[in-house]
Every structure is written in structure tokens, then in C-alpha cells.
Amino acid sequence: MPESISTPLTPSGELSPEAFQTYLNASLRALQDEIEKFDEVVPGEQAAASFEELRQRWGGRKTGVVTQISHLVKQAPTEHKRAFGISFNEFKDIVSHLLDGLQTRIQDASTFRRVLDGLDISLPGIARTPGIAHPLLTTMERIVEVFHHLGYSTELGPQVESDFYNFEALNFPENHPARDTQDTLQIAGQEAKPSRDRLLLRTHTSPVQIRTMVAQDPPLRIVIPGKVHRNEAADATHSPTFHQVEGLCVGPDITFSDLKGTLDHAMRALFGSGVKTRFFPSFFPFTEPSADVQISCIFCGGSGCRKCKHSGWIELLGCGMVDPAVFQAVAGERRRLGLDDAPYDPARVSGFAFGMGVERIAMILHGVSDIGTFYSGDMRFLEQFA
Ligand code: PHE
């Protein structure tokens, strides 16, 4: 019996149910105090031994506190036997619950201790840093975002493309020298197929213009981000696999002024409001007229520096008005598929298209001089974009 607990008898010497309950409560508090002391005990054999001693003292069959108290129940006056029994059973349950809880705690702690003992906490930990988006991806997203604000939506297409979408429908006839400008990686074993169905790795994102026009009626405003491939040797500014963002706007009265205004806005949104654009005559089979767009050098402001080869201008993208031959190819493909060809009657629609290289823009935005660093996976380079 814990010494700190006084007798269950009332001052007048009787054994009442209330006095008994008060006595049980005090006993439980005494047990809780003892259990709390284990908070300071280091897990291990010593703790297990102390626990065993505590468990014997309280739960021991012959002389344990619980057994001693059970004798009191037997001495209770007959009319109070039932009340004493209920209180005692509750008490017994709580005691065994408390002792079981302490036992689990001690066992868990010593298991943990064993694990800790085998652990060198002075070793450096494994730091798992959260990943970041690759700079090419963020650049691509930045470009796309500018056009989303102008009401464009995103379209995607396959990297393994057919000759029809990559070339023919874009007005690159078979065996025409225009195809030489985009040295192509062909998929092997396609010779048996009709030439329009032969597969290749797309050399530009322009085939998605055709795919979208075949599937959707005008008006259209789309941006096409994606990966493209050419049979080219890698050097500081070229990579056989690279990325483009393409744009296409088709409607009843789209003019070259719309093209100029759109790209002028986009360049200022990307490179800063002080940037000027200028358009140079160029050639693409699928646009007529075609232009190359240059921006005033963002490094020297146009006065000439090493970056712009002292010209004050940086060439950034290709563009032009959609060639009527492209609309004709789209109308033809729609007829072949049993779709309405009228919406792409070249007499009724016009449009413009543009395409830009993501790597080139990322290199300018971040001052990167070798395109290869984007693909190297070198953490010292990539971490700068975190
Ligand atoms: N597809 C062309 C290229 O890869 C770029 C371009 C796109 C030019 C759209 C004009 C219009 O070179």
C-alpha cells in the first residue's frame, strides 16, 4: 500500500463507499506520479527492471496494491458491497491500463535506443532538395504565356510526324530544294509506304498548324510549344534536338499589320518595353510574304556590341502570312476526310504564322553562350535557376 495514501476509513472510523472512492482516486494519483518519473529514466535494462518492480508492487498476485485493496472490498458492509465492487473493478482496469501503457512506452523507447546506438549522427544527412523547372521549360512557358494573354490557346502535336504534315501540306514539294534547309531524321523502313505517310522526326512545330486547321474551323489563335529534331552537328549555337514555339492566327481579315503588331508586342513583353523590332524579307515555303524579325540588341540598346556582332540588332524569329497553298492543302485534306473544306477556301481566309527557337531566346535572356549547357545536366548550371 503506498505510504502517502491515508486509510479508506472516514474520520468516524467507518468504511463508506465515498471514503473508498476517495481512497482509490488517491491511489491512482500515486501510481500516475510513479509513472511520470519514468519520463526521466533512460531507456534500457535499468528502466525495464524499475518497471518490473513497479508492476510487482501494484499488480503482484499476493501482495500487490490491487490485491490488498481487493481485501477491503470483502470487508465492506453488505449493503455497500455492490458499490465497492463497481469502484474496485474500475480501479483495477485503470491500473492495468496505466501499467500496460508504461510497458509499451519503455519497450518502444529501448528499440529506438538500439537503432540510435547503431547510428552515426555526425554523418552528413541525405538532403533532398525540391526540383525546379528546367530553364528551357520556363522560357517556353514564358513565351506561351505572352500569347495566352493575347487570347491564344496551346496546341501540341507528335514528334514522330508524317511527311505530309511536316513538309507536303506546308508547301515543301517532294524533292524540292526547300527541304534541304531542314535536314531530316527519317524513321527507318518506311520505303514501302506512299511518300505522304512516311514517318520522320518533325523538323519544326509547323506541322501542328496543319493538324489544328484540319481539325478546327477558323477563326484560330494558337501557340505550339514543342521539341523538334534536325540532322545537324552540335556546336555552341546548334543542337540536333531543340525547342520551338510556333504561332498561328487565322481569320477572315488578318493582315501583315496584325502580324507586326502582335510580334512587336510579344517582343516587348519578353525582353522589355524599350525593345524595338524590325522585319526583313525572308523565305519560308508556307508563308508569303515571309520575314525574319530582329529586335534591338538588349545588351547594348542598339549601339553595337560583341553580342550583336556590332550591328545593334539580334535576329530572333521567322514569320509571314500563311501561303494560300497551305490553306489549299488543308482544304484538300479536309475533303479527303469527308469534312467541310469551305472554311479554308483561300479566297475567304487569311492568317499569319511565326516560329521561334526557345534555346536562342533562353540564351539571350540568361546570358548563356553555349547551347550544350542546357542539356548537360550539370547541377552547378541548373542550380542557378532555383
Ligand atoms: N518553321 C520555321 C522553321 O522552323 C519557322 C517559321 C514558323 C517560319 C512559322 C514562319 C512561320 O524554320
PDB file of all heavy atoms in Angstrom, residues 139-175:
ATOM      1  N   THR A 139      11.431  29.135 -70.019  1.00  0.00           N
ATOM      2  CA  THR A 139      11.451  30.076 -71.144  1.00  0.00           C
ATOM      3  C   THR A 139      10.269  29.793 -72.075  1.00  0.00           C
ATOM      4  O   THR A 139       9.555  30.709 -72.496  1.00  0.00           O
ATOM      5  CB  THR A 139      12.771  29.952 -71.935  1.00  0.00           C
ATOM      6  OG1 THR A 139      13.862  30.117 -71.044  1.00  0.00           O
ATOM      7  CG2 THR A 139      12.845  30.980 -73.042  1.00  0.00           C
ATOM      8  N   MET A 140      10.064  28.514 -72.361  1.00  0.00           N
ATOM      9  CA  MET A 140       8.961  28.116 -73.236  1.00  0.00           C
ATOM     10  C   MET A 140       7.623  28.562 -72.635  1.00  0.00           C
ATOM     11  O   MET A 140       6.760  29.106 -73.325  1.00  0.00           O
ATOM     12  CB  MET A 140       9.007  26.592 -73.408  1.00  0.00           C
ATOM     13  CG  MET A 140       8.218  26.062 -74.544  1.00  0.00           C
ATOM     14  SD  MET A 140       9.076  24.673 -75.319  1.00  0.00           S
ATOM     15  CE  MET A 140       8.784  23.394 -74.156  1.00  0.00           C
ATOM     16  N   GLU A 141       7.487  28.354 -71.330  1.00  0.00           N
ATOM     17  CA  GLU A 141       6.242  28.752 -70.656  1.00  0.00           C
ATOM     18  C   GLU A 141       6.059  30.263 -70.679  1.00  0.00           C
ATOM     19  O   GLU A 141       4.943  30.766 -70.824  1.00  0.00           O
ATOM     20  CB  GLU A 141       6.224  28.238 -69.211  1.00  0.00           C
ATOM     21  CG  GLU A 141       5.836  26.765 -69.159  1.00  0.00           C
ATOM     22  CD  GLU A 141       6.056  26.142 -67.782  1.00  0.00           C
ATOM     23  OE1 GLU A 141       6.634  26.808 -66.904  1.00  0.00           O
ATOM     24  OE2 GLU A 141       5.651  24.964 -67.621  1.00  0.00           O
ATOM     25  N   ARG A 142       7.168  30.984 -70.554  1.00  0.00           N
ATOM     26  CA  ARG A 142       7.105  32.450 -70.560  1.00  0.00           C
ATOM     27  C   ARG A 142       6.613  32.960 -71.908  1.00  0.00           C
ATOM     28  O   ARG A 142       5.785  33.871 -71.975  1.00  0.00           O
ATOM     29  CB  ARG A 142       8.520  32.989 -70.308  1.00  0.00           C
ATOM     30  CG  ARG A 142       8.559  34.128 -69.332  1.00  0.00           C
ATOM     31  CD  ARG A 142       9.985  34.356 -68.892  1.00  0.00           C
ATOM     32  NE  ARG A 142      10.425  35.693 -69.243  1.00  0.00           N
ATOM     33  CZ  ARG A 142      11.604  36.183 -68.896  1.00  0.00           C
ATOM     34  NH1 ARG A 142      12.454  35.425 -68.220  1.00  0.00           N
ATOM     35  NH2 ARG A 142      11.937  37.405 -69.235  1.00  0.00           N
ATOM     36  N   ILE A 143       7.124  32.361 -72.987  1.00  0.00           N
ATOM     37  CA  ILE A 143       6.714  32.769 -74.333  1.00  0.00           C
ATOM     38  C   ILE A 143       5.225  32.457 -74.540  1.00  0.00           C
ATOM     39  O   ILE A 143       4.442  33.310 -74.975  1.00  0.00           O
ATOM     40  CB  ILE A 143       7.559  32.044 -75.418  1.00  0.00           C
ATOM     41  CG1 ILE A 143       9.051  32.353 -75.239  1.00  0.00           C
ATOM     42  CG2 ILE A 143       7.085  32.429 -76.812  1.00  0.00           C
ATOM     43  CD1 ILE A 143       9.987  31.441 -76.037  1.00  0.00           C
ATOM     44  N   VAL A 144       4.863  31.229 -74.190  1.00  0.00           N
ATOM     45  CA  VAL A 144       3.468  30.796 -74.357  1.00  0.00           C
ATOM     46  C   VAL A 144       2.515  31.723 -73.583  1.00  0.00           C
ATOM     47  O   VAL A 144       1.460  32.113 -74.070  1.00  0.00           O
ATOM     48  CB  VAL A 144       3.338  29.311 -73.909  1.00  0.00           C
ATOM     49  CG1 VAL A 144       1.895  28.930 -73.664  1.00  0.00           C
ATOM     50  CG2 VAL A 144       3.973  28.390 -74.944  1.00  0.00           C
ATOM     51  N   GLU A 145       2.945  32.094 -72.380  1.00  0.00           N
ATOM     52  CA  GLU A 145       2.139  32.958 -71.508  1.00  0.00           C
ATOM     53  C   GLU A 145       1.828  34.308 -72.176  1.00  0.00           C
ATOM     54  O   GLU A 145       0.709  34.813 -72.097  1.00  0.00           O
ATOM     55  CB  GLU A 145       2.924  33.173 -70.204  1.00  0.00           C
ATOM     56  CG  GLU A 145       2.345  34.173 -69.243  1.00  0.00           C
ATOM     57  CD  GLU A 145       1.435  33.528 -68.226  1.00  0.00           C
ATOM     58  OE1 GLU A 145       1.228  32.302 -68.312  1.00  0.00           O
ATOM     59  OE2 GLU A 145       0.924  34.264 -67.369  1.00  0.00           O
ATOM     60  N   VAL A 146       2.826  34.871 -72.850  1.00  0.00           N
ATOM     61  CA  VAL A 146       2.629  36.164 -73.537  1.00  0.00           C
ATOM     62  C   VAL A 146       1.470  36.038 -74.537  1.00  0.00           C
ATOM     63  O   VAL A 146       0.615  36.922 -74.630  1.00  0.00           O
ATOM     64  CB  VAL A 146       3.924  36.586 -74.260  1.00  0.00           C
ATOM     65  CG1 VAL A 146       3.666  37.758 -75.216  1.00  0.00           C
ATOM     66  CG2 VAL A 146       5.014  36.939 -73.261  1.00  0.00           C
ATOM     67  N   PHE A 147       1.437  34.903 -75.264  1.00  0.00           N
ATOM     68  CA  PHE A 147       0.392  34.723 -76.269  1.00  0.00           C
ATOM     69  C   PHE A 147      -0.942  34.317 -75.643  1.00  0.00           C
ATOM     70  O   PHE A 147      -1.998  34.665 -76.163  1.00  0.00           O
ATOM     71  CB  PHE A 147       0.860  33.752 -77.364  1.00  0.00           C
ATOM     72  CG  PHE A 147       1.950  34.358 -78.203  1.00  0.00           C
ATOM     73  CD1 PHE A 147       3.288  34.085 -77.938  1.00  0.00           C
ATOM     74  CD2 PHE A 147       1.637  35.266 -79.212  1.00  0.00           C
ATOM     75  CE1 PHE A 147       4.294  34.687 -78.684  1.00  0.00           C
ATOM     76  CE2 PHE A 147       2.638  35.873 -79.966  1.00  0.00           C
ATOM     77  CZ  PHE A 147       3.978  35.585 -79.700  1.00  0.00           C
ATOM     78  N   HIS A 148      -0.902  33.627 -74.516  1.00  0.00           N
ATOM     79  CA  HIS A 148      -2.162  33.333 -73.813  1.00  0.00           C
ATOM     80  C   HIS A 148      -2.868  34.639 -73.468  1.00  0.00           C
ATOM     81  O   HIS A 148      -4.085  34.738 -73.568  1.00  0.00           O
ATOM     82  CB  HIS A 148      -1.900  32.535 -72.533  1.00  0.00           C
ATOM     83  CG  HIS A 148      -1.673  31.070 -72.780  1.00  0.00           C
ATOM     84  ND1 HIS A 148      -1.427  30.173 -71.773  1.00  0.00           N
ATOM     85  CD2 HIS A 148      -1.661  30.353 -73.929  1.00  0.00           C
ATOM     86  CE1 HIS A 148      -1.271  28.952 -72.293  1.00  0.00           C
ATOM     87  NE2 HIS A 148      -1.403  29.042 -73.605  1.00  0.00           N
ATOM     88  N   HIS A 149      -2.090  35.646 -73.068  1.00  0.00           N
ATOM     89  CA  HIS A 149      -2.693  36.935 -72.720  1.00  0.00           C
ATOM     90  C   HIS A 149      -3.318  37.608 -73.936  1.00  0.00           C
ATOM     91  O   HIS A 149      -4.153  38.495 -73.794  1.00  0.00           O
ATOM     92  CB  HIS A 149      -1.654  37.862 -72.080  1.00  0.00           C
ATOM     93  CG  HIS A 149      -1.336  37.487 -70.660  1.00  0.00           C
ATOM     94  ND1 HIS A 149      -2.296  37.394 -69.683  1.00  0.00           N
ATOM     95  CD2 HIS A 149      -0.168  37.157 -70.061  1.00  0.00           C
ATOM     96  CE1 HIS A 149      -1.733  37.026 -68.547  1.00  0.00           C
ATOM     97  NE2 HIS A 149      -0.442  36.873 -68.752  1.00  0.00           N
ATOM     98  N   LEU A 150      -2.901  37.206 -75.140  1.00  0.00           N
ATOM     99  CA  LEU A 150      -3.490  37.765 -76.365  1.00  0.00           C
ATOM    100  C   LEU A 150      -4.630  36.885 -76.870  1.00  0.00           C
ATOM    101  O   LEU A 150      -5.107  37.074 -77.987  1.00  0.00           O
ATOM    102  CB  LEU A 150      -2.418  37.905 -77.453  1.00  0.00           C
ATOM    103  CG  LEU A 150      -1.291  38.908 -77.188  1.00  0.00           C
ATOM    104  CD1 LEU A 150      -0.213  38.802 -78.265  1.00  0.00           C
ATOM    105  CD2 LEU A 150      -1.841  40.335 -77.139  1.00  0.00           C
ATOM    106  N   GLY A 151      -5.041  35.915 -76.081  1.00  0.00           N
ATOM    107  CA  GLY A 151      -6.180  35.079 -76.464  1.00  0.00           C
ATOM    108  C   GLY A 151      -5.808  33.832 -77.234  1.00  0.00           C
ATOM    109  O   GLY A 151      -6.683  33.177 -77.810  1.00  0.00           O
ATOM    110  N   TYR A 152      -4.529  33.496 -77.287  1.00  0.00           N
ATOM    111  CA  TYR A 152      -4.109  32.269 -77.979  1.00  0.00           C
ATOM    112  C   TYR A 152      -4.291  31.077 -77.045  1.00  0.00           C
ATOM    113  O   TYR A 152      -4.164  31.217 -75.831  1.00  0.00           O
ATOM    114  CB  TYR A 152      -2.623  32.353 -78.365  1.00  0.00           C
ATOM    115  CG  TYR A 152      -2.333  33.260 -79.553  1.00  0.00           C
ATOM    116  CD1 TYR A 152      -2.591  34.626 -79.498  1.00  0.00           C
ATOM    117  CD2 TYR A 152      -1.786  32.735 -80.722  1.00  0.00           C
ATOM    118  CE1 TYR A 152      -2.321  35.454 -80.581  1.00  0.00           C
ATOM    119  CE2 TYR A 152      -1.510  33.552 -81.807  1.00  0.00           C
ATOM    120  CZ  TYR A 152      -1.776  34.918 -81.742  1.00  0.00           C
ATOM    121  OH  TYR A 152      -1.510  35.720 -82.811  1.00  0.00           O
ATOM    122  N   SER A 153      -4.577  29.909 -77.630  1.00  0.00           N
ATOM    123  CA  SER A 153      -4.594  28.697 -76.809  1.00  0.00           C
ATOM    124  C   SER A 153      -3.486  27.765 -77.293  1.00  0.00           C
ATOM    125  O   SER A 153      -2.975  27.935 -78.394  1.00  0.00           O
ATOM    126  CB  SER A 153      -5.958  28.014 -76.852  1.00  0.00           C
ATOM    127  OG  SER A 153      -6.368  27.884 -78.190  1.00  0.00           O
ATOM    128  N   THR A 154      -3.135  26.797 -76.456  1.00  0.00           N
ATOM    129  CA  THR A 154      -1.996  25.925 -76.760  1.00  0.00           C
ATOM    130  C   THR A 154      -2.446  24.673 -77.515  1.00  0.00           C
ATOM    131  O   THR A 154      -3.449  24.063 -77.167  1.00  0.00           O
ATOM    132  CB  THR A 154      -1.300  25.504 -75.451  1.00  0.00           C
ATOM    133  OG1 THR A 154      -0.782  26.680 -74.826  1.00  0.00           O
ATOM    134  CG2 THR A 154      -0.146  24.540 -75.713  1.00  0.00           C
ATOM    135  N   GLU A 155      -1.692  24.314 -78.547  1.00  0.00           N
ATOM    136  CA  GLU A 155      -1.910  23.053 -79.254  1.00  0.00           C
ATOM    137  C   GLU A 155      -0.589  22.282 -79.271  1.00  0.00           C
ATOM    138  O   GLU A 155       0.488  22.891 -79.333  1.00  0.00           O
ATOM    139  CB  GLU A 155      -2.367  23.289 -80.697  1.00  0.00           C
ATOM    140  CG  GLU A 155      -3.772  23.875 -80.816  1.00  0.00           C
ATOM    141  CD  GLU A 155      -4.879  22.888 -80.446  1.00  0.00           C
ATOM    142  OE1 GLU A 155      -4.628  21.663 -80.489  1.00  0.00           O
ATOM    143  OE2 GLU A 155      -5.980  23.357 -80.107  1.00  0.00           O
ATOM    144  N   LEU A 156      -0.694  20.954 -79.219  1.00  0.00           N
ATOM    145  CA  LEU A 156       0.512  20.122 -79.255  1.00  0.00           C
ATOM    146  C   LEU A 156       0.370  19.088 -80.363  1.00  0.00           C
ATOM    147  O   LEU A 156      -0.743  18.782 -80.796  1.00  0.00           O
ATOM    148  CB  LEU A 156       0.696  19.402 -77.906  1.00  0.00           C
ATOM    149  CG  LEU A 156       0.810  20.295 -76.673  1.00  0.00           C
ATOM    150  CD1 LEU A 156       0.765  19.459 -75.405  1.00  0.00           C
ATOM    151  CD2 LEU A 156       2.087  21.138 -76.711  1.00  0.00           C
ATOM    152  N   GLY A 157       1.495  18.565 -80.819  1.00  0.00           N
ATOM    153  CA  GLY A 157       1.447  17.516 -81.846  1.00  0.00           C
ATOM    154  C   GLY A 157       2.568  16.523 -81.610  1.00  0.00           C
ATOM    155  O   GLY A 157       3.421  16.724 -80.747  1.00  0.00           O
ATOM    156  N   PRO A 158       2.581  15.434 -82.399  1.00  0.00           N
ATOM    157  CA  PRO A 158       3.572  14.371 -82.183  1.00  0.00           C
ATOM    158  C   PRO A 158       4.961  14.755 -82.683  1.00  0.00           C
ATOM    159  O   PRO A 158       5.087  15.542 -83.628  1.00  0.00           O
ATOM    160  CB  PRO A 158       3.022  13.212 -83.014  1.00  0.00           C
ATOM    161  CG  PRO A 158       2.253  13.872 -84.108  1.00  0.00           C
ATOM    162  CD  PRO A 158       1.680  15.129 -83.523  1.00  0.00           C
ATOM    163  N   GLN A 159       5.994  14.188 -82.059  1.00  0.00           N
ATOM    164  CA  GLN A 159       7.360  14.418 -82.543  1.00  0.00           C
ATOM    165  C   GLN A 159       7.683  13.507 -83.714  1.00  0.00           C
ATOM    166  O   GLN A 159       8.486  13.853 -84.570  1.00  0.00           O
ATOM    167  CB  GLN A 159       8.367  14.184 -81.418  1.00  0.00           C
ATOM    168  CG  GLN A 159       8.332  15.275 -80.369  1.00  0.00           C
ATOM    169  CD  GLN A 159       9.334  15.011 -79.272  1.00  0.00           C
ATOM    170  OE1 GLN A 159      10.520  14.828 -79.517  1.00  0.00           O
ATOM    171  NE2 GLN A 159       8.861  14.983 -78.047  1.00  0.00           N
ATOM    172  N   VAL A 160       7.065  12.309 -83.725  1.00  0.00           N
ATOM    173  CA  VAL A 160       7.190  11.451 -84.904  1.00  0.00           C
ATOM    174  C   VAL A 160       6.028  11.826 -85.811  1.00  0.00           C
ATOM    175  O   VAL A 160       4.865  11.634 -85.468  1.00  0.00           O
ATOM    176  CB  VAL A 160       7.137   9.958 -84.516  1.00  0.00           C
ATOM    177  CG1 VAL A 160       7.185   9.089 -85.780  1.00  0.00           C
ATOM    178  CG2 VAL A 160       8.291   9.609 -83.598  1.00  0.00           C
ATOM    179  N   GLU A 161       6.375  12.411 -86.953  1.00  0.00           N
ATOM    180  CA  GLU A 161       5.376  13.066 -87.807  1.00  0.00           C
ATOM    181  C   GLU A 161       5.406  12.433 -89.194  1.00  0.00           C
ATOM    182  O   GLU A 161       6.381  11.754 -89.564  1.00  0.00           O
ATOM    183  CB  GLU A 161       5.732  14.574 -87.839  1.00  0.00           C
ATOM    184  CG  GLU A 161       4.751  15.478 -88.484  1.00  0.00           C
ATOM    185  CD  GLU A 161       3.325  15.317 -87.973  1.00  0.00           C
ATOM    186  OE1 GLU A 161       2.674  14.350 -88.406  1.00  0.00           O
ATOM    187  OE2 GLU A 161       2.869  16.154 -87.175  1.00  0.00           O
ATOM    188  N   SER A 162       4.355  12.634 -89.970  1.00  0.00           N
ATOM    189  CA  SER A 162       4.376  12.106 -91.343  1.00  0.00           C
ATOM    190  C   SER A 162       4.906  13.185 -92.283  1.00  0.00           C
ATOM    191  O   SER A 162       4.869  14.381 -91.984  1.00  0.00           O
ATOM    192  CB  SER A 162       2.979  11.670 -91.769  1.00  0.00           C
ATOM    193  OG  SER A 162       2.173  12.810 -91.973  1.00  0.00           O
ATOM    194  N   ASP A 163       5.396  12.723 -93.419  1.00  0.00           N
ATOM    195  CA  ASP A 163       5.920  13.639 -94.431  1.00  0.00           C
ATOM    196  C   ASP A 163       4.855  14.655 -94.844  1.00  0.00           C
ATOM    197  O   ASP A 163       5.157  15.823 -95.054  1.00  0.00           O
ATOM    198  CB  ASP A 163       6.376  12.814 -95.658  1.00  0.00           C
ATOM    199  CG  ASP A 163       7.049  13.676 -96.695  1.00  0.00           C
ATOM    200  OD1 ASP A 163       6.341  14.285 -97.528  1.00  0.00           O
ATOM    201  OD2 ASP A 163       8.292  13.758 -96.660  1.00  0.00           O
ATOM    202  N   PHE A 164       3.606  14.200 -94.893  1.00  0.00           N
ATOM    203  CA  PHE A 164       2.529  15.106 -95.311  1.00  0.00           C
ATOM    204  C   PHE A 164       2.442  16.332 -94.396  1.00  0.00           C
ATOM    205  O   PHE A 164       2.436  17.457 -94.846  1.00  0.00           O
ATOM    206  CB  PHE A 164       1.184  14.372 -95.330  1.00  0.00           C
ATOM    207  CG  PHE A 164       0.027  15.282 -95.611  1.00  0.00           C
ATOM    208  CD1 PHE A 164      -0.216  15.769 -96.910  1.00  0.00           C
ATOM    209  CD2 PHE A 164      -0.831  15.712 -94.592  1.00  0.00           C
ATOM    210  CE1 PHE A 164      -1.270  16.630 -97.182  1.00  0.00           C
ATOM    211  CE2 PHE A 164      -1.895  16.582 -94.849  1.00  0.00           C
ATOM    212  CZ  PHE A 164      -2.107  17.031 -96.145  1.00  0.00           C
ATOM    213  N   TYR A 165       2.385  16.114 -93.086  1.00  0.00           N
ATOM    214  CA  TYR A 165       2.218  17.243 -92.160  1.00  0.00           C
ATOM    215  C   TYR A 165       3.487  18.081 -92.032  1.00  0.00           C
ATOM    216  O   TYR A 165       3.432  19.300 -91.898  1.00  0.00           O
ATOM    217  CB  TYR A 165       1.791  16.740 -90.775  1.00  0.00           C
ATOM    218  CG  TYR A 165       0.348  16.333 -90.719  1.00  0.00           C
ATOM    219  CD1 TYR A 165      -0.027  15.007 -90.542  1.00  0.00           C
ATOM    220  CD2 TYR A 165      -0.658  17.293 -90.854  1.00  0.00           C
ATOM    221  CE1 TYR A 165      -1.363  14.638 -90.498  1.00  0.00           C
ATOM    222  CE2 TYR A 165      -2.000  16.934 -90.802  1.00  0.00           C
ATOM    223  CZ  TYR A 165      -2.339  15.608 -90.627  1.00  0.00           C
ATOM    224  OH  TYR A 165      -3.656  15.248 -90.583  1.00  0.00           O
ATOM    225  N   ASN A 166       4.648  17.390 -92.031  1.00  0.00           N
ATOM    226  CA  ASN A 166       5.895  18.139 -91.796  1.00  0.00           C
ATOM    227  C   ASN A 166       6.323  18.939 -93.033  1.00  0.00           C
ATOM    228  O   ASN A 166       6.918  20.012 -92.902  1.00  0.00           O
ATOM    229  CB  ASN A 166       7.012  17.185 -91.392  1.00  0.00           C
ATOM    230  CG  ASN A 166       8.204  17.914 -90.787  1.00  0.00           C
ATOM    231  OD1 ASN A 166       8.207  18.234 -89.601  1.00  0.00           O
ATOM    232  ND2 ASN A 166       9.218  18.203 -91.590  1.00  0.00           N
ATOM    233  N   PHE A 167       6.022  18.397 -94.229  1.00  0.00           N
ATOM    234  CA  PHE A 167       6.513  19.042 -95.463  1.00  0.00           C
ATOM    235  C   PHE A 167       5.431  19.346 -96.499  1.00  0.00           C
ATOM    236  O   PHE A 167       5.193  20.501 -96.823  1.00  0.00           O
ATOM    237  CB  PHE A 167       7.605  18.176 -96.106  1.00  0.00           C
ATOM    238  CG  PHE A 167       8.903  18.175 -95.338  1.00  0.00           C
ATOM    239  CD1 PHE A 167       9.494  16.986 -94.941  1.00  0.00           C
ATOM    240  CD2 PHE A 167       9.547  19.381 -95.019  1.00  0.00           C
ATOM    241  CE1 PHE A 167      10.696  16.988 -94.238  1.00  0.00           C
ATOM    242  CE2 PHE A 167      10.745  19.378 -94.317  1.00  0.00           C
ATOM    243  CZ  PHE A 167      11.321  18.184 -93.928  1.00  0.00           C
ATOM    244  N   GLU A 168       4.788  18.272 -96.977  1.00  0.00           N
ATOM    245  CA  GLU A 168       3.920  18.426 -98.144  1.00  0.00           C
ATOM    246  C   GLU A 168       2.851  19.503 -97.959  1.00  0.00           C
ATOM    247  O   GLU A 168       2.723  20.411 -98.784  1.00  0.00           O
ATOM    248  CB  GLU A 168       3.267  17.078 -98.440  1.00  0.00           C
ATOM    249  CG  GLU A 168       2.993  16.840 -99.911  1.00  0.00           C
ATOM    250  CD  GLU A 168       2.430  15.435-100.116  1.00  0.00           C
ATOM    251  OE1 GLU A 168       3.181  14.471 -99.835  1.00  0.00           O
ATOM    252  OE2 GLU A 168       1.256  15.327-100.517  1.00  0.00           O
ATOM    253  N   ALA A 169       2.089  19.401 -96.862  1.00  0.00           N
ATOM    254  CA  ALA A 169       0.999  20.357 -96.646  1.00  0.00           C
ATOM    255  C   ALA A 169       1.532  21.759 -96.383  1.00  0.00           C
ATOM    256  O   ALA A 169       0.806  22.748 -96.497  1.00  0.00           O
ATOM    257  CB  ALA A 169       0.131  19.897 -95.475  1.00  0.00           C
ATOM    258  N   LEU A 170       2.813  21.845 -96.019  1.00  0.00           N
ATOM    259  CA  LEU A 170       3.417  23.159 -95.762  1.00  0.00           C
ATOM    260  C   LEU A 170       4.128  23.669 -97.013  1.00  0.00           C
ATOM    261  O   LEU A 170       4.993  24.553 -96.925  1.00  0.00           O
ATOM    262  CB  LEU A 170       4.383  23.064 -94.574  1.00  0.00           C
ATOM    263  CG  LEU A 170       3.670  22.909 -93.212  1.00  0.00           C
ATOM    264  CD1 LEU A 170       4.641  22.367 -92.159  1.00  0.00           C
ATOM    265  CD2 LEU A 170       3.087  24.248 -92.741  1.00  0.00           C
ATOM    266  N   ASN A 171       3.746  23.081 -98.151  1.00  0.00           N
ATOM    267  CA  ASN A 171       4.228  23.593 -99.436  1.00  0.00           C
ATOM    268  C   ASN A 171       5.718  23.345 -99.684  1.00  0.00           C
ATOM    269  O   ASN A 171       6.356  24.135-100.373  1.00  0.00           O
ATOM    270  CB  ASN A 171       3.888  25.101 -99.539  1.00  0.00           C
ATOM    271  CG  ASN A 171       3.882  25.603-100.970  1.00  0.00           C
ATOM    272  OD1 ASN A 171       3.634  24.839-101.902  1.00  0.00           O
ATOM    273  ND2 ASN A 171       4.190  26.890-101.147  1.00  0.00           N
ATOM    274  N   PHE A 172       6.229  22.256 -99.075  1.00  0.00           N
ATOM    275  CA  PHE A 172       7.574  21.788 -99.442  1.00  0.00           C
ATOM    276  C   PHE A 172       7.333  20.599-100.378  1.00  0.00           C
ATOM    277  O   PHE A 172       7.087  19.486 -99.884  1.00  0.00           O
ATOM    278  CB  PHE A 172       8.346  21.209 -98.257  1.00  0.00           C
ATOM    279  CG  PHE A 172       8.806  22.143 -97.175  1.00  0.00           C
ATOM    280  CD1 PHE A 172       7.926  22.608 -96.198  1.00  0.00           C
ATOM    281  CD2 PHE A 172      10.156  22.502 -97.079  1.00  0.00           C
ATOM    282  CE1 PHE A 172       8.381  23.412 -95.159  1.00  0.00           C
ATOM    283  CE2 PHE A 172      10.612  23.306 -96.027  1.00  0.00           C
ATOM    284  CZ  PHE A 172       9.728  23.767 -95.074  1.00  0.00           C
ATOM    285  N   PRO A 173       7.375  20.772-101.699  1.00  0.00           N
ATOM    286  CA  PRO A 173       7.111  19.613-102.552  1.00  0.00           C
ATOM    287  C   PRO A 173       8.226  18.582-102.418  1.00  0.00           C
ATOM    288  O   PRO A 173       9.343  18.913-102.004  1.00  0.00           O
ATOM    289  CB  PRO A 173       7.096  20.212-103.965  1.00  0.00           C
ATOM    290  CG  PRO A 173       7.052  21.697-103.782  1.00  0.00           C
ATOM    291  CD  PRO A 173       7.656  21.984-102.442  1.00  0.00           C
ATOM    292  N   GLU A 174       7.889  17.318-102.771  1.00  0.00           N
ATOM    293  CA  GLU A 174       8.886  16.247-102.727  1.00  0.00           C
ATOM    294  C   GLU A 174      10.059  16.629-103.618  1.00  0.00           C
ATOM    295  O   GLU A 174       9.852  17.175-104.715  1.00  0.00           O
ATOM    296  CB  GLU A 174       8.233  14.950-103.236  1.00  0.00           C
ATOM    297  CG  GLU A 174       8.576  13.757-102.388  1.00  0.00           C
ATOM    298  CD  GLU A 174       8.088  12.460-103.008  1.00  0.00           C
ATOM    299  OE1 GLU A 174       6.989  12.458-103.596  1.00  0.00           O
ATOM    300  OE2 GLU A 174       8.824  11.471-102.897  1.00  0.00           O
ATOM    301  N   ASN A 175      11.256  16.343-103.147  1.00  0.00           N
ATOM    302  CA  ASN A 175      12.478  16.631-103.923  1.00  0.00           C
ATOM    303  C   ASN A 175      12.746  18.115-104.178  1.00  0.00           C
ATOM    304  O   ASN A 175      13.623  18.462-104.950  1.00  0.00           O
ATOM    305  CB  ASN A 175      12.484  15.896-105.275  1.00  0.00           C
ATOM    306  CG  ASN A 175      12.356  14.404-105.073  1.00  0.00           C
ATOM    307  OD1 ASN A 175      12.972  13.844-104.157  1.00  0.00           O
ATOM    308  ND2 ASN A 175      11.541  13.765-105.896  1.00  0.00           N
TER     309      ASN A 175
END
